[in-house]
Amino acid sequence: AKIIYFFERLFNVINNKDKIKEITIEFNINDINEDSLKVISQIKNIRLSIGIQTFNEDSLKIINRQTKKEDIIKALKLINESELKNISVDFICGLPLNDKDQSKKDIIFAFDLLPKIKHISLYYLELNDFLKNKWKKFLPSEEDSVNYYNIAAETIENFGLKRYEISNYAVSGYESIHNSGYWNLKDYLGIGAGAFGCYKNSRYENTKNIKEYLEIVSENKFPTKNIEYLDEEKRKREFIFLSLRTAKGINFSFYKKLFKEDFIDKHSKIINKHIEYFIISKEYLSIKKIYFDYADEIILLLLR
């Protein structure tokens, strides 16, 4: 009840701001109920994002997700019955105990329960060395993970969603505005426990503890735990990395406007050496779709 009251107060302020084009709220599956959906449905330009990851309970247990399949099903049915229209869901490919069709089956089942999904984020499982060793016998090989991902990606596209970034797919017109904002180094607000925001070259992280967060904001204080200053070199590297993960790629004129240098002149030697990976037009440099699975490694060639 306290969380819903907080959201009601926050959104009364937000709804008076006509210039806000999108507000993304990330909900945990277990926090979705009729009351919370009723509150957020009243917000202008609301976008709901939820992390399904998989319907495989055995996989969820191994990665310490306290979510049951029946809870995910109940949440998706409630969302489908709500007035919400702009809905994004997340899946992770290559989880422990996943076979090649697991993510495909997860995606199809999600659409059966919630056919109005407009956006999907599909991620590879990323692990540190400790967890790789701990879960080694449960994990697919790197080659198998790529194959699993491509099967899942094809499934998403068969539902009419287009890949506009390495990990993101959307129905036309429902591409995430806040994603494109931080890809273009724009300021963005992070509101809520564990949220990240960026303002005037300073990226901040809020406390992850929900109780602590609510106590701090109730005292009209900032719940910020960490602040990172982004100098020009770091901003440049992030812009290159994030832009080349999109289908469009790097916009030359925008790059020059931001950093006062010509991108092709600066990186021509590396680009020409690895020209087979790239598409170059008058306005953009992008990575060919057939190399999307290796985009991060290709991008690092330009950042060395």
Side-chain angles (χ1 to χ4, degrees):
K2 191 173 182 180
I3 293 176
I4 291 176
Y5 173 67
F6 165 74
F7 278 131
E8 286 176 335
R9 288 181 61 201
L10 174 64
F11 298 145
N12 281 337
V13 175
I14 290 174
N15 276 342
N16 291 322
K17 306 296 182 183
D18 294 332
K19 292 183 179 180
I20 296 177
K21 295 180 179 179
E22 178 190 278
I23 300 165
T24 294
I25 296 181
E26 297 185 4
F27 260 44
N28 293 323
I29 291 292
N30 295 327
D31 291 329
I32 293 173
N33 54 55
E34 290 183 5
D35 290 337
S36 60
L37 292 175
K38 184 178 179 181
V39 171
I40 66 172
S41 294
Q42 299 170 24
I43 306 164
K44 296 176 184 177
N45 301 321
I46 190 67
R47 176 177 178 269
L48 175 64
S49 177
I50 54 172
I52 296 175
Q53 319 314 351
T54 182
F55 288 96
N56 187 324
E57 286 190 351
D58 292 331
S59 295
L60 292 171
K61 286 177 184 176
I62 290 177
I63 63 172
N64 296 319
R65 294 292 177 108
Q66 306 302 314
T67 309
K68 296 180 180 179
K69 181 177 179 179
E70 63 185 67
D71 295 330
I72 303 173
I73 293 172
K74 181 181 177 181
L76 295 188
K77 286 182 176 179
L78 284 173
I79 296 168
N80 195 53
E81 294 167 0
S82 74
E83 296 179 9
L84 293 167
K85 293 182 174 61
N86 193 351
I87 300 157
S88 177
V89 297
D90 295 358
F91 295 99
I92 298 178
C93 210
L95 286 166
L97 300 178
N98 276 194
D99 60 26
K100 69 184 180 70
D101 289 323
Q102 180 66 59
S103 291
K104 175 182 178 179
K105 291 184 288 188
D106 289 338
I107 292 160
I108 292 171
F109 191 41
F111 271 104
D112 285 343
L113 297 167
L114 185 56
K116 57 183 179 179
I117 293 170
K118 297 295 191 296
H119 186 285
I120 291 179
S121 295
L122 177 66
Y123 301 108
Y124 282 103
L125 178 65
E126 295 185 6
L127 298 172
N128 57 37
D129 290 339
F130 173 77
L131 290 178
K132 282 181 182 177
N133 290 327
K134 182 179 179 181
W135 297 340
K136 187 176 182 179
K137 64 179 180 179
F138 303 119
L139 293 171
S141 67
E142 185 174 338
E143 182 179 353
D144 284 341
S145 289
V146 172
N147 291 332
Y148 297 0
Y149 191 99
N150 289 332
I151 291 170
E154 183 179 356
T155 304
I156 294 171
E157 291 179 333
N158 286 340
F159 278 99
L161 284 71
K162 186 177 179 181
R163 193 177 195 176
Y164 69 101
E165 194 265 355
I166 297 297
S167 303
N168 289 281
Y169 306 72
V171 172
S172 180
Y174 285 89
E175 295 84 359
S176 172
I177 295 174
H178 90 271
N179 280 351
S180 63
Y182 59 70
W183 295 337
N184 289 323
L185 304 186
K186 292 182 179 179
D187 290 342
Y188 54 94
L189 291 176
I191 302 172
F196 285 83
C198 191
Y199 181 68
K200 291 187 176 180
N201 299 333
S202 291
R203 184 161 50 216
Y204 63 86
E205 176 188 8
N206 291 337
T207 177
K208 296 178 180 178
N209 185 294
I210 295 176
K211 183 179 179 182
E212 182 182 16
Y213 178 89
L214 292 172
E215 288 175 351
I216 294 172
V217 296
S218 68
E219 297 172 359
N220 293 321
K221 297 179 181 178
F222 291 106
T224 305
K225 278 294 182 183
N226 297 303
I227 298 177
E228 176 189 12
Y229 176 70
L230 305 175
D231 60 24
E232 182 166 300
E233 185 60 28
K234 181 169 282 189
R235 291 174 72 244
K236 187 186 299 183
R237 291 174 67 85
E238 288 196 1
F239 180 78
I240 293 171
F241 187 86
L242 295 173
S243 294
L244 281 176
R245 284 180 56 88
T246 67
K248 284 186 175 181
I250 289 181
N251 182 298
F252 299 138
S253 60
F254 190 52
Y255 178 91
K256 192 167 187 176
K257 180 180 177 182
L258 288 174
F259 304 113
K260 315 305 181 196
E261 65 183 26
D262 187 281
F263 180 81
I264 291 295
D265 288 348
K266 180 79 173 177
H267 301 280
S268 59
K269 187 175 180 180
I270 295 296
I271 293 170
N272 290 330
K273 184 177 180 181
H274 303 283
I275 193 66
E276 69 273 17
Y277 299 137
F278 302 108
I279 298 172
I280 304 177
S281 68
K282 185 178 180 180
E283 297 179 352
Y284 288 92
L285 173 83
S286 59
I287 294 174
K288 293 178 181 177
K289 188 175 181 179
I290 59 171
Y291 295 114
F292 270 10
D293 292 323
Y294 311 99
D296 289 355
E297 290 82 357
I298 293 169
I299 295 167
L300 289 176
L301 296 172
L302 294 168
L303 298 178
R304 287 174 179 168

